[in-house]
C-alpha cells in the first residue's frame, strides 16, 4: 500500500512539474532586419512589453518561437541557429539593442529565437525548450540545430539536452556568460538578511533559487554523471568587464571570489562559473580584450558574433572535430571568500564598521523609493554627505533589484569605527553592500571538494572559517555567528516558518569551526555568516545542498511529515506577526523536559533568552517584549535537549 501511495505522490508531482513547464508554443515570423533592429509591426500585438534585456513587469511570452527571415544569401549546409535568453529576459534580447539577429541573417544563417519562462528553474525551462527544439527542427526540416545561449539559458539548455533527451536535436551549444556553477548574487538574494526586500522586488523566485551556488553544484553533480552528458557538446564564453548599472554588483563579486586572479566577473556571473566541465572554453578571462564586456554585452552581435560564427560547424553532415581541450572537472564553490559587509534594515538606519587605514568607503544601497536620500553619521557624530556615484536606476539583473544608490566617501583621514547609514525618509527599508577594501575578509572551507559537490542526508557537516586580515589590524577574538536557512522553489513554501538553524562558530588556534554532527534533512540551505570584533565587521553568504534522492523533487518527501509526527514539540504561528512591540509564541510540550526559548536577530546574534525548567505537558506561551530592538527580521527558537523548532517574526514599530 505504501508503494502505491508513493507512486501516486510521485505521479502527482510529475503532473505538477509538467503543468509548470507547460506553455503553449506559438510560432511567429520576424521581418527582414533593417539596420541594427528588425521592424516589429508583427510583434507589437504579441509582446505586451519590449524593454531589451530586462523583463521588468508585464506578462511573459514564454512558449513563443520567433523565426528569423530566410536570408537572401543562404549558406549552403549551414546549421540552423536557435537562440535562448537568460534570467529575467525574453527572446527580443537578441534583436532589441542587439544586432545578433542582423549579423546572423547577413551571413546567411537561418535563425529561431525562443522565449522560455524568465523566472523558472532549469527543469521547467528545460522541458519547454526540448519541445521547442523539436518544433524548430521540424519547421526547418533538419535533424539537428546549434544552440546559442545567454546567461541562465545555458543551464536551461543543459537540462534540455542531458535530462530531457534533446541531444539528438542539438549538435552543440555555445553559451555566453552562463552561470554553470551559479552566482554569489543569487545566494545573497536568497539569504535571510535580504530576502524580505529582494522578494518585494520580485527577485526571490524559482530562477534565483536555482542559480544559488549550492543548487548549481547539485545540478552539476546530477548532470556531469548522467549517461547523456558525453552527447551534449558545449563551448563556453565568459566575460570580465563589468560596468554601468552592473558596476557595483561586479565589485561585490570581485570581493566574493570573482577577482582578476580567477578571471574576473561580468557584473552578474564570475568568470570561473562560465566554464562548464567537460566542455571547450573559448577566449579568456581578465586581460583578454575580446571579453572585456559586462553581462548585458556578452551576448551582443557586435562583440560576440565573430566568435560564435568561428565556432559553428560548416556542415552537420558529419561529426565536427574538436580541436580544443575540454575544461577539467573542478568545484569552484568548495572554498568561499568574502571581503564585503552586508547591512539591512526595515527602519531606515543601520550601523556599519569602517576599519583603520581605510581610504575609500563604497556603499551600494538597494531601496524602495526613487525619492530616497541617504546620509552617513560618523563615529564623532558628524553628519556626512558622501559623493553619489549613481542613483535611482532600477536594476533587476543583479538579482537584488529596486532603486539603487551608490555612495562613496574617501580620504586618507577617513575615520575608523562605527558609522550609521540613515535614510532621510522615515523608516524606509534598505539593503546596503559595504566595501572598505580588502583589509579584512572571510574564507570558508568545508568537506566539499572537486570530488564531493553535495552532502548526503544525515551526513555530518563541518565548516571552518578563517579571518583574513592585514597587519596591524587586530582581527583576533571575533564573534562569528551564522544562520542556516532552508530554501525551496516548491509551491506554497513559507520562508517565515521554514526550518532555520542559528549557529555560533567556536575559535581554536585562529580557526572558527562549526560541526553539525547529526546533519540536516534533504534540501538546499542558504548560509549567512557574520563576523565582528569591534575593529571590523564582515559578512559571507553561500549555499549548499543536502541530497537524499533528487533535490528538485522535495515535494514527494514523506520523511519530514513522519518526523513531525514523532516530534515531542509542536510550534504554532506567532501572533501578531509582523509585530510592533511584542509577540506571543505558543508551543506544545509532549514530554517532561527543560525548554529554552531564544530570540536571535537576522545575523544570528542572541537578543533574548529564557530557560523554562521541566515544563508540564501541554501548551505553553512565551511572550517576547521587543524593547530596544530595531526593526527587522528575528528568529525565535524553541529548543530541548534533542529538538529545536524555529519561527521568523518581523518587528515593525
Amino acid at each position: 500500500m505504501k508503494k502505491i501511495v508513493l507512486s501516486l505522490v510521485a505521479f502527482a508531482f510529475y503532473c505538477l512539474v509538467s503543468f509548470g513547464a507547460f506553455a503553449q508554443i506559438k510560432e511567429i515570423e520576424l521581418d527582414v532586419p533593417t539596420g541594427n533592429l528588425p521592424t516589429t509591426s508583427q510583434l507589437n500585438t504579441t509582446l505586451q512589453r519590449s524593454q531589451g534585456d530586462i523583463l521588468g513587469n508585464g506578462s511573459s511570452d514564454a512558449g513563443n518561437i520567433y523565426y528569423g527571415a530566410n536570408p537572401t544569401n543562404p549558406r549552403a549546409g549551414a546549421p540552423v541557429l536557435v537562440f535562448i535568453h537568460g534570467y529575467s529576459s525574453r527572446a527580443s534580447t537578441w534583436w532589441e539593442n542587439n544586432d545578433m539577429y542582423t549579423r546572423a541573417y547577413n551571413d546567411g544563417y537561418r535563425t529561431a529565437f525562443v522565449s522560455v519562462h524568465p523566472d523558472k528553474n532549469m527543469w521547467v525551462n528545460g522541458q519547454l525548450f526540448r519541445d521547442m527544439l523539436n518544433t524548430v527542427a521540424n519547421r526547418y526540416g533538419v535533424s539537428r540545430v546549434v544552440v546559442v545561449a545567454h546567461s541562465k539559458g545555458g543551464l536551461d539548455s543543459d537540462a534540455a539536452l542531458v535530462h530531457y533527451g534533446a541531444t539528438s536535436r542539438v549538435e552543440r551549444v555555445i553559451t555566453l556568460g552562463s552561470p554553470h556553477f551559479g552566482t554569489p548574487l543569487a545566494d545573497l538574494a536568497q539569504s535571510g538578511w535580504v530576502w524580505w526586500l529582494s522578494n518585494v522586488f520580485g527577485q526571490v523566485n524559482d530562477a534565483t533559487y536555482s542559480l544559488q551556488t549550492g543548487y548549481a553544484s547539485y545540478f552539476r553533480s546530477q548532470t556531469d554523471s548522467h549517461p547523456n552528458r558525453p552527447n551534449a557538446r558545449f563551448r563556453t564564453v565568459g566575460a570580465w568587464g563589468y560596468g554601468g548599472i552592473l558596476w557595483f554588483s561586479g565589485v561585490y563579486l570581485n570581493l566574493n571570489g570573482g577577482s582578476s586572479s580567477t578571471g574576473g566577473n561580468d557584473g552578474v556571473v564570475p568568470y570561473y562559473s562560465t566554464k562548464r566541465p567537460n566542455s571547450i572554453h573559448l577566449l579568456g578571462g581578465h586581460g583578454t580584450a575580446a571579453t572585456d564586456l559586462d553581462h548585458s554585452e556578452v551576448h551582443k552581435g557586435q562583440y560576440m558574433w565573430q566568435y560564435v560564427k568561428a565556432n559553428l560547424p560548416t556542415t552537420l553532415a558529419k561529426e565536427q572535430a574538436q580541436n580544443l581541450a575540454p575544461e577539467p572537472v573542478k568545484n569552484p564553490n568548495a572554498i568561499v571568500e568574502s571581503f564585503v559587509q552586508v547591512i539591512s534594515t526595515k527602519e531606515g538606519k543601520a550601523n556599519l564598521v569602517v576599519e583603520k587605514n581605510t581610504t575609500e568607503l563604497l556603499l551600494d544601497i538597494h531601496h524602495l523609493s526613487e525619492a530616497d536620500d541617504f546620509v552617513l553619521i560618523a563615529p564623532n557624530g558628524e553628519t556626512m554627505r558622501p559623493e553619489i556615484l549613481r542613483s535611482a536606476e532600477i536594476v533587476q539583473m543583479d538579482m537584488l533589484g529596486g532603486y539603487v544608490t551608490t555612495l562613496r566617501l574617501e580620504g586618507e583621514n577617513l575615520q575608523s569605527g562605527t558609522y550609521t547609514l540613515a535614510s532621510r525618509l522615515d523608516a524606509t527599508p534598505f539593503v546596503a553592500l559595504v566595501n572598505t577594501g580588502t583589509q579584512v575578509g572571510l574564507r570558508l572551507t568545508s568537506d566539499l571538494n572537486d570530488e564531493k559537490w553535495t552532502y548526503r542526508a544525515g551526513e555530518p557537516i563541518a565548516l571552518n572559517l578563517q579571518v583574513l586580515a592585514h597587519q596591524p589590524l587586530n582581527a583576533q577574538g571575533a564573534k562569528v555567528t551564522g544562520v542556516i536557512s532552508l530554501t525551496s522553489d516548491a509551491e506554497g513554501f513559507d520562508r517565515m516558518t521554514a526550518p532555520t538553524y542559528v549557529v555560533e562558530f567556536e575559535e581554536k588556534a585562529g580557526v572558527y569551526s562549526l560541526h553539525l554532527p547529526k546533519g540536516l534533512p534533504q534540501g538546499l540551505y542558504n548560509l549567512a555568516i557574520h563576523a565582528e570584533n569591534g575593529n571590523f565587521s564582515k559578512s559571507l553568504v553561500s549555499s549548499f545542498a543536502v541530497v537524499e534522492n533528487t533535490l528538485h523533487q522535495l515535494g514527494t518527501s514523506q520523511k519530514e511529515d513522519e518526523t513531525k509526527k514523532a516530534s515531542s514539540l509542536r510550534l504554532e504561528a506567532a501572533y501578531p506577526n509582523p509585530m510592533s512591540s511584542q509577540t506571543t509564541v505558543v508551543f506544545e510540550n509532549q514530554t517532561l523536559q527543560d525548554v529554552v526559548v531564544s530570540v536571535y536577530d537576522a545575523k544570528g546574534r542572541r537578543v533574548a533568552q529564557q530557560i523554562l525548567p521541566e515544563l508540564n505537558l501541554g501548551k505553553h506561551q512565551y511572550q517576547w517584549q521587543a524593547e530596544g530592538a530595531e526593526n527587522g527580521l528575528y528568529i525565535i527558537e524553541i529548543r530541548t535537549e534533542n529538538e529545536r523548532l524555529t519561527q521568523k517574526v518581523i518587528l515593525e514599530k
Side-chain angles (χ1 to χ4, degrees), residues 532-553:
E532 61 181 6
N533 76 343
N535 296 321
F536 77 93
S537 176
K538 283 293 180 286
S539 314
L540 183 148
V541 183
S542 186
S543 58
F544 59 88
V546 177
V547 182
E548 184 173 1
N549 296 305
T550 51
L551 192 59
H552 58 287
Q553 293 183 359

Side-chain angles (χ1 to χ4, degrees), residues 196-197 200-201 345-346 348 365-374 388 390-395 400-406 422-431:
W196 50 271
L197 188 56
V200 172
F201 301 144
T345 179
K346 295 184 73 71
I365 310 164
H366 292 249
H367 48 98
L368 293 175
S369 173
E370 184 177 7
D372 217 340
D373 189 23
F374 297 89
I388 299 176
R390 65 169 179 168
S391 180
E393 294 174 323
I394 298 179
V395 178
L400 291 180
Y403 291 94
V404 181
T405 298
T406 302
S423 167
R424 296 179 65 140
L425 298 180
D426 290 336
T428 181
F430 64 79
V431 171

Side-chain angles (χ1 to χ4, degrees), residues 381-433:
E382 178 186 358
T383 298
M384 313 181 77
R385 297 282 298 181
E387 175 189 3
I388 299 176
L389 297 183
R390 65 169 179 168
S391 180
E393 294 174 323
I394 298 179
V395 178
Q396 294 192 42
M397 195 180 294
D398 68 0
M399 300 183 192
L400 291 180
Y403 291 94
V404 181
T405 298
T406 302
L407 305 178
R408 178 169 62 191
L409 190 65
E410 57 183 347
E412 293 184 0
N413 297 319
L414 193 63
Q415 294 181 52
S416 61
T418 300
Y419 286 70
T420 299
L421 177 63
S423 167
R424 296 179 65 140
L425 298 180
D426 290 336
T428 181
F430 64 79
V431 171
L433 309 180

Side-chain angles (χ1 to χ4, degrees), residues 259-417:
S259 66
S260 59
S261 63
T262 61
N265 72 84
D266 64 10
V268 175
V269 181
Y271 176 77
Y272 64 75
S273 186
T274 65
K275 303 169 75 172
R276 180 184 182 272
N278 299 299
S279 302
I280 297 171
H281 194 70
L282 310 174
L283 304 175
H286 188 268
T288 303
T291 52
D292 184 7
L293 306 168
D294 67 29
H295 195 69
S296 63
E297 294 172 331
V298 71
H299 73 309
K300 292 189 175 181
Q302 68 187 96
Y303 305 118
M304 278 293 117
W305 171 246
Q306 60 178 313
Y307 304 108
V308 170
K309 180 181 175 182
N311 282 277
L312 296 175
T314 56
T315 175
L316 297 184
K318 61 181 180 179
E319 190 71 24
Q320 299 297 302
Q322 298 201 11
N323 54 4
L324 298 173
E327 283 294 319
V329 177
K330 297 185 65 176
N331 181 5
N333 297 326
I335 299 176
V336 183
E337 291 187 356
S338 173
F339 292 82
V340 177
Q341 182 181 171
V342 180
I343 60 174
S344 62
T345 179
K346 295 184 73 71
E347 66 176 6
K349 64 178 181 179
N351 292 335
L352 58 104
V353 176
V354 174
E355 299 92 10
K356 290 182 179 179
N357 301 320
T358 298
T359 58
E360 183 181 54
L361 170 64
L362 289 171
L363 300 165
D364 196 57
I365 310 164
H366 292 249
H367 48 98
L368 293 175
S369 173
E370 184 177 7
D372 217 340
D373 189 23
F374 297 89
V375 296
L376 267 177
I377 302 173
N380 63 2
E382 178 186 358
T383 298
M384 313 181 77
R385 297 282 298 181
E387 175 189 3
I388 299 176
L389 297 183
R390 65 169 179 168
S391 180
E393 294 174 323
I394 298 179
V395 178
Q396 294 192 42
M397 195 180 294
D398 68 0
M399 300 183 192
L400 291 180
Y403 291 94
V404 181
T405 298
T406 302
L407 305 178
R408 178 169 62 191
L409 190 65
E410 57 183 347
E412 293 184 0
N413 297 319
L414 193 63
Q415 294 181 52
S416 61

Side-chain angles (χ1 to χ4, degrees), residues 558-620:
Q558 288 189 330
K559 189 170 184 179
E560 292 181 14
D561 292 337
E562 293 171 357
T563 301
K564 289 178 182 177
K565 292 177 183 178
S567 173
S568 63
L569 277 178
R570 299 281 180 85
L571 180 61
E572 299 180 7
Y575 66 91
N577 188 15
M579 57 182 286
S580 59
S581 60
Q582 66 182 33
T583 190
T584 300
V585 177
V586 177
F587 63 94
E588 184 176 356
N589 185 29
Q590 297 182 344
T591 61
L592 186 65
Q593 57 189 326
D594 294 350
V595 176
V596 179
V597 183
S598 303
V599 182
Y600 300 89
D601 66 12
K603 293 184 176 180
R605 298 173 298 192
R606 191 171 64 206
V607 298
Q609 186 176 79
Q610 184 173 349
I611 300 176
L612 307 173
E614 294 189 356
L615 286 179
N616 295 327
L617 305 187
K619 288 190 175 182
H620 303 274

